[in-house]
Amino acid sequence: PESVFNGCRHGENRFEERSGPSMRPVVPPLAEVPHKDMELQIHRMQESLSEEFLTHFCGTNDLRSVEHLEIKVDITAQSVEDMGRALPNLLQLKLTGSTVHSVRNLGTGLERLQVLWLGQCGLQDVGGVSSMPNLREFYLPFN
């Protein structure tokens, strides 16, 4: 499989549109959320990588089809421990530029993960990598 990706990829679909200074993937608009409540709704979803947020971010209702995810997270403000449960078939995870101090912060649900990027994350501890038995590539530059 291709090792470079942007946003979420599932099946043949792939987000490539970029915007803003962070160059993050553009998130599709939320369905049927009043404009005045939209920012609050997005903020609540981003507090944790909930299934609702990931469905919105990845642009699919079938999170089982997501195999690749590129996202910036801050574990001091967001819970990402349920990401593996929400994305059970995730093979590649790119968190470059995120705030992740320990691999344990990623939880124990990433059993299928094969490639993990944690460059420039302030990583201090790789403990917990044993909960990823299929991990074949682990990139840690500039920590």
Side-chain angles (χ1 to χ4, degrees):
E2 185 178 38
S3 293
V4 179
F5 56 90
N6 301 309
C8 295
R9 189 170 53 181
H10 46 94
E12 297 300 316
N13 297 323
R14 184 175 175 175
F15 284 129
E16 299 225 14
E17 187 177 351
R18 305 293 214 158
S19 72
S22 68
M23 299 302 287
R24 289 187 183 171
V26 174
V27 177
L30 289 171
E32 299 181 34
V33 176
H35 180 70
K36 66 181 182 176
D37 296 329
M38 188 176 297
E39 286 186 33
L40 179 60
Q41 179 81 11
I42 291 171
H43 176 72
R44 284 183 185 152
M45 288 189 310
Q46 288 177 333
E47 287 177 354
S48 70
L49 291 187
S50 66
E51 288 185 34
E52 181 183 12
F53 174 78
L54 289 168
T55 297
H56 175 71
F57 184 81
C58 295
T60 181
N61 289 324
D62 183 10
L63 293 177
R64 292 179 314 241
S65 68
V66 176
E67 296 178 343
H68 309 272
L69 175 65
E70 178 178 354
I71 193 168
K72 287 188 179 182
V73 298
D74 179 347
I75 57 95
T76 63
Q78 298 168 300
S79 172
V80 297
E81 293 177 356
D82 290 333
M83 182 175 21
R85 183 186 50 76
L87 303 170
N89 294 311
L90 193 64
L91 300 175
Q92 296 187 15
L93 177 59
K94 190 169 189 177
L95 298 174
T96 301
S98 294
T99 301
V100 179
H101 301 294
S102 172
V103 173
R104 282 189 179 90
N105 296 132
L106 302 179
T108 58
L110 297 168
E111 293 92 6
R112 295 201 54 194
L113 195 67
Q114 296 176 0
V115 183
L116 177 60
W117 285 267
L118 288 175
Q120 301 173 336
C121 289
L123 191 67
Q124 300 168 2
D125 181 15
V126 295
V129 76
S130 62
S131 70
M132 302 172 194
N134 291 305
L135 193 65
R136 295 184 180 151
E137 300 175 40
F138 191 14
Y139 300 101
L140 309 169
F142 307 108
N143 277 291

